[in-house]
Amino acid sequence: MGSGSQQRFDVLVIGGGPAGMAAAARAAECGARVGMVDGNANVGGQIWRRSLNGTEMQEAATWSGRLRSANVTTFYGKRIFDQPEAGVLLAEGDDDLCELRYNNLVVATGARERFLPFPGWTLPNVMGAGGLQAMVKSGLPIRGSRVVVAGTGPLLLAVAAYLRRQGAEIPILCEQASWIRLARFGASLLGYLAKVSQGLQLRKELAGIRYVANSWPLAAHGSQRLESVTISRNGKTEVIACDFLACGFHLVPNLELQLLLGCQIRGGYVEVDDIQQTSVKGIFCAGEPTSIGGVELALVEGQIAGLAAAGQAKRAKGLFGERRKARHFARLLDRTFRLRPELKDLASAETVVCRCEDVPYSRLREHKSWRAAKLQTRCGMGPCQGRICGPATEFFFHWNPDSVRPPVLPARVESLAGSAKSS
Ligand SMILES: Cc1cc2nc3c(=O)[nH]c(=O)nc-3n(C[C@H](O)[C@H](O)[C@H](O)COP(=O)(O)OP(=O)(O)OC[C@H]3O[C@@H](n4cnc5c(N)ncnc54)[C@H](O)[C@@H]3O)c2cc1C
């Protein structure tokens, strides 16, 4: 392979979010030689990566400390894009390429937001809810701006609370789930003390904000950038003036790498056994790719996977009860925030669904499968490789990506050339 470095590990962990951190720390504490790779410049994944210096993030600091004490070798700013042969992965950095060899692998690649296209969703200032939060954390000024928050899932609440703390005005928070589902969800939370206290805290922070169920965005309007949003609210439409729309429809797991590695997927998630091992021996999976269940589930699954990957599966048994409870919470999330069928009609004929290749809804609906649509329209063949339009077409048309080919992330030509030499 080219001029990059090569390293070998007993356990290699892909992903430096809560699941990957827990897996790497537990495996290294068992004496294994462990490497952990993340495409971001910082450890912590979606929830912790910008907060590890803050005193409030005790849990993040604890896991970060354990990684350091256990001598985990970390590779930040490196994206795994190919597996040239079994037991070998290639990671691309900003100006280098590494070949990472492993005996056992833990894949903890997390999730991303799901976007559903609707008229006007490509206007400037229509953003993913988590995406806008990340931009504000990186310095985008938001004080005094009016932000409509809409879509589905608990992330909307966290984002609205964060934006309000930064001085944004939130005229409305639209949740597509029904009040009945939300009420059932609220009642089920009584079994989860930590969630109850988080919920009460959010309620305090969101006091005074109009929170409406049975509601979703129908269209975004504006000449140069977003000026207003039409929402459907209990069957009636309402136009709301705003500067930003923070919009996301819950999360979808990042499965591209697991598909490339040949792991079995069931019901949209990676299938794992009791010790988080996938259908491929020696490859474990933890966190959001196995179910969307929040940081507690990610941490406990990561610990089990790390122990098992280090050959200490028996020690992982003590964590099974905690995982059972956290998985139950994931099922509650899934049931509560399942997308309602009316959302299948969100896009109009002209709405662009694949933004990379500029493919409108009208061209896609002529096709019967993701593969046929890709071949005929180039949908999903741009830089995001279907990460945005894939989940949308899955919901609109029930299409599934039938295969994944390397590179799983956009990579430089010289890295691809290095990859070809090493295979
Ligand atoms: C946009 C967004 C914002 C969120 N904000 C919040 C919030 O404010 N509060 C909250 O409670 N929860 C939030 N969540 C949910 C939170 O991410 C989960 O609850 C939990 O942290 C998941 O942990 P994880 O380790 O499974 O995944 P993550 O934390 O997502 O970590 C996965 C890591 O894998 C890395 N990765 C993926 N593929 C590759 C690859 N090929 N090569 C190298 N690295 C790779 C990613 O860079 C990422 O750092 C958010 C989720 C998303 C998608």
Side-chain angles (χ1 to χ4, degrees):
M1 59 154 265
S3 57
S5 63
Q6 299 181 13
Q7 295 204 46
R8 173 162 211 110
F9 296 97
D10 300 322
V11 178
L12 181 66
V13 179
I14 313 301
M21 290 167 82
R26 292 302 300 252
E29 285 163 1
C30 294
R33 180 167 150 69
V34 178
M36 189 181 84
V37 191
D38 198 296
N40 285 307
N42 299 313
V43 70
Q46 297 289 358
I47 180 170
W48 288 342
R49 72 175 158 223
R50 281 175 203 84
S51 315
L52 285 183
N53 297 324
T55 45
E56 79 283 10
M57 297 303 277
Q58 196 50 48
E59 199 165 29
T62 302
W63 283 106
S64 187
R66 283 175 75 166
L67 285 178
R68 276 195 302 275
S69 317
N71 284 326
V72 171
T73 306
T74 52
F75 302 86
Y76 298 129
K78 305 256 187 272
R79 301 163 294 277
I80 301 289
F81 68 94
D82 192 9
Q83 174 186 242
E85 61 183 84
V88 182
L89 289 170
L90 294 180
E92 183 187 76
D94 285 343
D95 48 17
D96 61 347
L97 177 68
C98 326
E99 183 181 282
L100 302 170
R101 294 181 171 259
Y102 60 86
N103 296 337
N104 287 327
L105 181 71
V106 179
V107 190
T109 46
R112 58 181 178 268
E113 290 185 270
R114 171 164 43 204
F115 301 112
L116 295 181
F118 50 85
W121 80 298
T122 52
L123 270 175
N125 287 1
V126 178
M127 296 191 178
L132 180 59
Q133 181 185 39
M135 288 185 70
V136 174
K137 284 185 181 178
S138 307
L140 177 79
I142 202 75
R143 183 165 296 280
S145 297
R146 297 158 302 171
V147 186
V148 169
V149 180
T152 200
L155 182 58
L156 298 184
L157 301 173
V159 169
Y162 174 79
L163 295 175
R164 190 185 218 192
R165 283 199 299 277
Q166 306 310 309
E169 184 197 322
I170 314 288
I172 194 163
L173 196 166
C174 302
E175 166 57 64
Q176 60 93 40
S178 66
W179 282 120
I180 294 175
R181 281 202 185 167
L182 294 173
R184 280 199 203 118
F185 179 65
S188 321
L189 287 189
L190 294 176
Y192 298 85
L193 276 182
K195 302 281 177 203
V196 172
S197 83
Q198 272 171 27
L200 289 174
Q201 176 64 24
L202 277 171
R203 199 173 140 165
K204 207 164 110 192
E205 293 190 46
L206 297 172
I209 291 180
R210 210 154 53 114
Y211 179 77
V212 291
N214 288 318
S215 306
W216 56 90
L218 288 176
H221 317 279
S223 49
Q224 301 295 318
R225 62 164 64 110
L226 180 72
E227 289 164 16
S228 63
V229 179
T230 302
I231 60 157
S232 167
R233 183 180 166 208
N234 288 320
K236 295 192 176 132
T237 58
E238 188 175 331
V239 180
I240 296 164
C242 58
D243 305 301
F244 288 90
L245 171 61
C247 188
F249 291 85
H250 205 33
L251 305 178
V252 285
N254 291 324
L255 301 180
E256 292 76 15
L257 193 54
Q258 295 85 336
L259 282 164
L260 182 76
L261 298 169
C263 304
Q264 183 77 40
I265 309 293
R266 189 181 292 267
Y269 295 106
V270 177
E271 192 175 32
V272 288
D273 65 10
D274 264 3
I275 54 168
Q276 300 293 137
Q277 188 165 221
T278 68
S279 58
V280 182
K281 195 164 177 289
I283 299 187
F284 300 78
C285 185
E288 311 269 57
T290 68
S291 54
I292 306 290
V295 64
E296 293 83 1
L297 182 57
L299 282 172
V300 70
E301 284 195 355
Q303 292 189 67
I304 293 170
L307 288 167
Q312 301 287 330
K314 277 195 186 144
R315 286 173 58 191
K317 280 194 176 160
L319 294 161
F320 286 4
E322 194 184 327
R323 180 180 60 186
R324 202 173 310 120
K325 198 166 177 198
R327 279 188 176 163
H328 180 67
F329 178 71
R331 285 195 293 277
L332 286 176
L333 286 178
D334 217 34
R335 216 177 301 147
T336 308
F337 300 106
R338 191 162 295 165
L339 299 182
R340 57 201 303 145
E342 294 98 311
L343 297 176
K344 287 186 192 286
D345 300 325
L346 269 186
S348 70
E350 302 77 36
T351 305
V352 169
V353 175
C354 172
R355 298 173 74 147
C356 301
E357 296 290 333
D358 227 2
V359 186
Y361 181 84
S362 58
R363 288 199 57 213
L364 292 174
R365 68 180 169 200
E366 297 162 8
H367 299 285
K368 293 222 160 7
S369 68
W370 173 246
R371 191 177 160 74
K374 263 178 109 168
L375 288 172
Q376 302 295 326
T377 69
R378 291 195 51 80
C379 173
M381 292 177 79
C384 94
Q385 287 288 294
R387 280 180 173 73
I388 308 288
C389 58
T393 57
E394 190 178 344
F395 175 63
F396 286 156
F397 308 115
H398 300 285
W399 294 344
N400 276 315
D402 32 23
S403 65
V404 167
R405 279 197 234 151
V408 292
L409 295 171
R412 287 189 303 272
V413 173
E414 67 204 74
S415 301
L416 298 177
S419 155
K421 274 189 213 160
S422 71
S423 56

